[in-house]
Amino acid sequence: MARAVRYIKDNPMAFLLLTFPVVILAELAHWQPMVVFALSAVAIIPLAGYIGQSTESLAHYTGPRLGGLLNATLGNAAELIITIVAIREGLLELVKASITGSILGNLLLVLGMSMLLGGLRNGHQTFDRRQASNNAVLLLMSVIILLIPSLLSHYIGHVEPPDDKVEILSLGVAGVMMILYILGLIFSYKTTKTPLTPEHPVAALPLNAWPLRVALVILVLSTVGVAYMSEVLVGAVDPVVKALGISEFFIGIIFIPIIGNVAEHLVAVQVAVKNKMTLSVEIAVASSLQIALFVAPVLVFISLLMGQRLTLVFNQFELLALIAGVLIAAVVSADGESHWLEGAELLGIYLILVLAFFLLPI
Amino acid sequence: MARAVRYIKDNPMAFLLLTFPVVILAELAHWQPMVVFALSAVAIIPLAGYIGQSTESLAHYTGPRLGGLLNATLGNAAELIITIVAIREGLLELVKASITGSILGNLLLVLGMSMLLGGLRNGHQTFDRRQASNNAVLLLMSVIILLIPSLLSHYIGHVEPPDDKVEILSLGVAGVMMILYILGLIFSYKTTKTPLTPEHPVAALPLNAWPLRVALVILVLSTVGVAYMSEVLVGAVDPVVKALGISEFFIGIIFIPIIGNVAEHLVAVQVAVKNKMTLSVEIAVASSLQIALFVAPVLVFISLLMGQRLTLVFNQFELLALIAGVLIAAVVSADGESHWLEGAELLGIYLILVLAFFLLPI
Amino acid sequence: MARAVRYIKDNPMAFLLLTFPVVILAELAHWQPMVVFALSAVAIIPLAGYIGQSTESLAHYTGPRLGGLLNATLGNAAELIITIVAIREGLLELVKASITGSILGNLLLVLGMSMLLGGLRNGHQTFDRRQASNNAVLLLMSVIILLIPSLLSHYIGHVEPPDDKVEILSLGVAGVMMILYILGLIFSYKTTKTPLTPEHPVAALPLNAWPLRVALVILVLSTVGVAYMSEVLVGAVDPVVKALGISEFFIGIIFIPIIGNVAEHLVAVQVAVKNKMTLSVEIAVASSLQIALFVAPVLVFISLLMGQRLTLVFNQFELLALIAGVLIAAVVSADGESHWLEGAELLGIYLILVLAFFLLPI
């Protein structure tokens, strides 16, 4: 008992696990959809964290190379699960929005918080300009590829269902992304510089790696848990949209990315506060790269298997927000220096984007 | 008398003050609006210069920290006065255009002249890459925030009067800008690196600080003078637009920024010729930052008080010109090096933009 | 005979010259247009190479300064000849597309191949960050100028024939470009840093400079050859467009730039494989600059003389592709480092753009 209490003290997030049984109760008792939505969202946060932690632990045993592969693949597992469930339910707007929302969240919210809090604690912070810049350039190029189908679609003029040409181009983009992802893994495997997987936070944060068997069990359990909670969450989206008047798009672009990544985000910020800014920037950029090169094409292919037409067409607002985000990341990285005012600016952009996405009539 | 002659020799711009009484005469005698417009424009140039010089002198007595605050607030005082008068007259297109025009003028015209003349005199010039890049990144981020309401407006489709959503977002942007401005002042107060206020030109150009009392009197007099001339100038805009066939937009985006900033611009160029390129770049970027973070939100709030709806909606042409301008500033700064060909390119962009703005049917 | 065999072994491209007589035969025998098109395209490749090689040889005798001028003017001679012939035939879409296509080909295809193959051979490659960045900034600024008429045209709304305002602006841009080109030559003449002409590959690749007289004869002959083949090629465009269903735009943006520049492209890639990355980046960027500052305005002026209205209006897709291309070039250059994954990303962008241009309904 005392050990459990101490564990929760050290890992306050574990406390959120208590919402898990409440969600089951809520489902059975048919509580208000809004309550169910909120509770299941909260329950996903620690579960996503456990997926991450067990991946880290596994990486401990597999060695850095295979560990890199694990990290690059499971790094956004929670979000992938939520969006796959959403595809099955036909919530394609939400799924697409979550792709851009994740990248924006990483580049503006996480980087902003890291630079703000890290800068307030440590003053001017510097980071490895070269490594950061290299990764930011890869991200810029990947995002440009990601956006080309949208350009074609806007040029042709939107139609529902999407024009075949746009779908062909989306599939082409997904294919190229997958190839680049595999090349990225090979690149990571061969060099110590790893655009897709940040150097393990192990080095930075004290992690007591779980025993191999425990790590595997926790990975399986938390994955199942996220899958179940995702069902509940996604099932509540429609009633919530109707009740609150916020759009499916807004839930996808703001909520889903936050829910699925809180744990990872916290690591990036903690690391920044400990003045390890290089790693903090790396986490944000690597996670964005994973979304563009791995999550996005996987979702396209899975939707194809499920008979849904998920085309990589984002609205003009998302396009410009994404381009702004990656440009800022590139410019900030090229700089190699950060301070709290820069962090405040990034948060300012994110805040205004949230307001704009909220006001956007979809 | 001899002293007055010598003063004018040292300060040839003071000569332009002679237009001041002529304007009063012109007003009384109901001269042609075009003549009145031109004369009042010329009269504002030295007055704006005196506001700047008296601010510098005051900063001399208040110490660098309070001086920084003075500079960051009064740095664009002349333009602020002109635009406030214009808001009262309902010339909102002119006011909005002057915001983008000021930033473009600083980043293309002033930086271009500085690099061209500085480079012709001194060959390849280098400047503090880090400091310049830091400020350029802040500027890039601020301008991105500034542009978000326009994106929403274009997405919704323009309507007159502007959609409430666009106005809410404009106010949100103005609020965030103000907060970032205050944070910027705090940042400047705490560190020696001051994005909002360039290191005082005092160090670079010989300035005989006026006695405190003189500085205050000149500040008040020149402010009153600018206010009066602005009334005259703004009153002549409508007839000039009709007579010349140029748009209110063109006057706002090209003329107003030049009139209000000639004095400051000259300092930036002189400093570049003296091969103090770091300061020259700083002046151009800091002035742009002041426009985005201070002048723009102040104008939004003041228009609200005056019952006018100044929404931060710029046309697509301005948007792209602004983005191009800040991107170039960011890339040029990251470089840390300039030469006259770069200056010529910047002037080329400005020239073609002027032609395009002139041709733009508004 | 043995010498001829050895020559072809050393210069496998010379082999392609054999298509030249076949084209003449094909013309006389009225072969299928598609065959004629393909053959004449192949025949241009080695001829363009000979123009380049004879220019290099001439530069050997004129000294570096006049040589720089020769290179900057004849560097894209083959493409210039093809497009001038196309203007005469009224294929303005093809001509405009070839301008953007050349820049994109240099920045994505050539740079991508160089970084991919160079990186696979040499691992992480570094290059002179400063020089590359300087040139990339000039390119970014030049391309921004080039795009302004398109913005005006999109703002006004497209009309056929183009609005007079757009044409005035196009001429203004062409004029400014020409001035910047001349300034660029003066700049090159005065400093050793030469944005418009890469340091002669002579230093990097063993070139047996031809005797002066031979070089002149070969220059004249290959120019005449390219002109003749261009006639044949351009004459076959219309039937090919009808037979294959691909657009004149696609031929202009993908095929023409490749045909005219294969030889130069190969040099850039060979140089990268030899780990002289600074030169490789310089060739790609300088060639793009020549297109923007020299080829584009020359085409505008020549079309004016020929009574055609070639306005510098590109479609939105081209605009964004161009901006992406120069931004990437700027960011990649600022970095000063390349590896094969970066090359693969560049090729990925090019590939998806080719697919998009193919799908684009024009």
Side-chain angles (χ1 to χ4, degrees), chain A residues 63-226:
Chain A
R65 297 197 160 173
L66 208 57
L69 174 66
L70 275 174
N71 262 311
T73 311
L74 297 176
N76 286 284
E79 193 176 348
L80 199 54
I81 295 168
I82 304 174
T83 43
I84 289 172
V85 172
I87 289 176
R88 220 194 45 209
E89 299 296 313
L91 298 173
L92 300 185
E93 276 310 310
L94 180 147
V95 172
K96 285 196 298 181
S98 81
I99 296 174
T100 50
S102 280
I103 298 178
L104 289 174
N106 274 306
L107 299 183
L108 300 176
L109 180 61
V110 178
L111 221 51
M113 286 292 272
S114 299
M115 289 185 173
L116 179 64
L117 298 181
L120 283 176
R121 178 70 168 270
N122 307 296
H124 270 255
Q125 296 183 290
T126 54
F127 50 89
D128 183 351
R129 200 185 70 73
R130 252 192 163 157
Q131 178 66 6
S133 192
N134 244 312
N135 295 354
V137 169
L138 284 181
L139 180 62
L140 173 65
M141 296 196 276
S142 306
V143 164
I144 283 173
I145 298 179
L146 191 65
L147 300 183
I148 295 176
S150 307
L151 299 185
L152 181 66
S153 172
H154 293 302
Y155 191 83
I156 291 177
H158 276 294
V159 282
E160 258 335 305
D163 194 298
D164 278 348
K165 291 180 176 175
V166 178
E167 209 172 338
I168 293 169
L169 195 56
S170 280
L171 285 172
V173 167
V176 166
M177 289 302 203
M178 262 298 165
I179 294 169
L180 288 174
Y181 174 72
I182 292 165
L183 292 177
L185 290 180
I186 295 171
F187 186 84
S188 299
Y189 195 84
K190 292 206 166 171
T191 66
T192 52
K193 304 198 178 173
T194 56
L196 277 163
T197 52
E199 191 198 321
H200 300 232
V202 180
L205 292 180
L207 168 81
N208 300 321
W210 294 321
L212 180 59
R213 186 187 298 247
V214 175
L216 273 173
V217 170
I218 291 183
L219 179 60
V220 171
L221 284 182
S222 51
T223 303
V224 171
V226 168

Side-chain angles (χ1 to χ4, degrees), chain C residues 33 42-43 70 113 143 239 261 265 267 292 299 308 326 347 352:
Chain C
V42 172
L70 274 174
M113 286 292 274
V143 164
N261 291 303
H265 290 0
V267 172
L299 291 176
Q308 302 272 8
V326 289
L347 291 178
I352 290 296

Side-chain angles (χ1 to χ4, degrees), chain C residues 11-33:
Chain C
N11 303 271
M13 215 182 256
F15 203 73
L16 299 177
L17 272 181
L18 293 179
T19 49
F20 196 93
V22 184
V23 171
I24 299 178
L25 183 69
E27 271 282 280
L28 293 175
H30 293 290
W31 290 7
Q32 285 247 347

Side-chain angles (χ1 to χ4, degrees), chain B residues 124 126 315 317 320 324 328 331-332 335 337 339-342 344-346 349 352-353 355-356 359-361, chain C residues 129-130 133-134 137-138 140-142 144-145 148 151-152 155-156 165 169 172-173 176 180 183-184 187 193 195:
Chain B
H124 270 256
T126 54
N315 69 50
F317 214 98
L320 291 163
I328 288 170
V331 176
V332 164
D335 196 37
E337 203 179 297
H339 47 65
W340 64 260
L341 187 57
E342 232 168 79
E345 287 262 358
L346 287 171
I349 300 177
I352 289 296
L353 278 179
L355 182 57
L359 294 169
L360 210 65
Chain C
R129 201 185 68 74
R130 254 191 161 160
S133 192
N134 244 313
V137 168
L138 285 182
L140 173 65
M141 296 195 278
S142 306
I144 284 173
I145 298 179
I148 294 175
L151 299 185
L152 182 67
Y155 192 84
I156 292 177
K165 291 180 175 176
L169 194 56
V173 167
V176 166
L180 289 174
L183 292 177
F187 187 84
K193 304 196 178 177

Side-chain angles (χ1 to χ4, degrees), chain C residues 33-321:
Chain C
M34 243 150 68
V35 177
V36 173
F37 182 83
L39 286 171
S40 58
V42 172
I44 286 174
I45 293 172
L47 291 168
Y50 284 120
I51 296 183
Q53 252 179 289
S54 50
T55 310
E56 288 291 339
S57 292
L58 285 181
H60 204 78
Y61 298 100
T62 58
R65 299 198 157 174
L66 208 56
L69 174 65
L70 274 174
N71 261 312
T73 312
L74 296 177
N76 286 284
E79 192 175 348
L80 199 55
I81 295 168
I82 304 174
T83 43
I84 289 172
V85 172
I87 289 176
R88 220 194 43 208
E89 299 296 313
L91 299 172
L92 299 185
E93 276 310 309
L94 180 146
V95 173
K96 284 196 297 180
S98 81
I99 296 173
T100 50
S102 280
I103 298 177
L104 289 174
N106 274 306
L107 299 183
L108 300 176
L109 181 61
V110 178
L111 220 52
M113 286 292 274
S114 299
M115 289 185 174
L116 178 64
L117 298 181
L120 283 177
R121 179 69 168 270
N122 308 297
H124 270 255
Q125 294 184 292
T126 54
F127 50 89
D128 183 351
R129 201 185 68 74
R130 254 191 161 160
Q131 178 66 6
S133 192
N134 244 313
N135 294 354
V137 168
L138 285 182
L139 180 62
L140 173 65
M141 296 195 278
S142 306
V143 164
I144 284 173
I145 298 179
L146 191 65
L147 300 183
I148 294 175
S150 307
L151 299 185
L152 182 67
S153 172
H154 293 302
Y155 192 84
I156 292 177
H158 276 294
V159 282
E160 257 336 305
D163 193 298
D164 278 347
K165 291 180 175 176
V166 177
E167 209 170 341
I168 293 170
L169 194 56
S170 281
L171 286 172
V173 167
V176 166
M177 288 302 202
M178 263 298 167
I179 294 169
L180 289 174
Y181 175 73
I182 293 165
L183 292 177
L185 290 180
I186 295 172
F187 187 84
S188 300
Y189 195 84
K190 292 208 166 167
T191 66
T192 53
K193 304 196 178 177
T194 56
L196 277 164
T197 53
E199 189 198 321
H200 299 231
V202 181
L205 292 179
L207 168 82
N208 300 320
W210 293 322
L212 180 57
R213 185 185 301 246
V214 175
L216 274 172
V217 170
I218 291 183
L219 179 59
V220 170
L221 284 183
S222 51
T223 304
V224 171
V226 168
Y228 178 63
M229 286 297 117
S230 297
E231 295 278 347
V232 178
L233 182 85
V234 167
V237 164
D238 247 2
V240 164
V241 163
K242 276 180 195 121
L244 288 189
I246 56 170
S247 61
E248 187 189 318
F249 170 77
F250 187 76
I251 294 179
I253 206 160
I254 303 295
F255 279 130
I256 304 296
I258 291 182
I259 295 167
N261 291 303
V262 166
E264 192 187 17
H265 290 0
L266 282 182
V267 172
V269 175
Q270 280 175 281
V271 162
V273 171
K274 295 192 185 221
N275 211 5
K276 296 177 191 297
M277 208 59 205
T278 303
L279 180 56
S280 183
V281 174
E282 239 183 301
I283 291 174
V285 172
S287 183
S288 304
L289 256 180
Q290 284 174 24
I291 297 283
L293 292 183
F294 180 67
V295 174
V298 163
L299 291 176
V300 169
F301 292 133
I302 283 180
S303 73
L304 203 70
L305 293 178
M306 288 183 172
Q308 302 272 8
R309 302 181 78 161
L310 181 82
T311 44
L312 293 172
V313 175
F314 306 103
N315 69 50
Q316 286 177 289
F317 214 98
E318 286 173 282
L319 286 187
L320 292 163

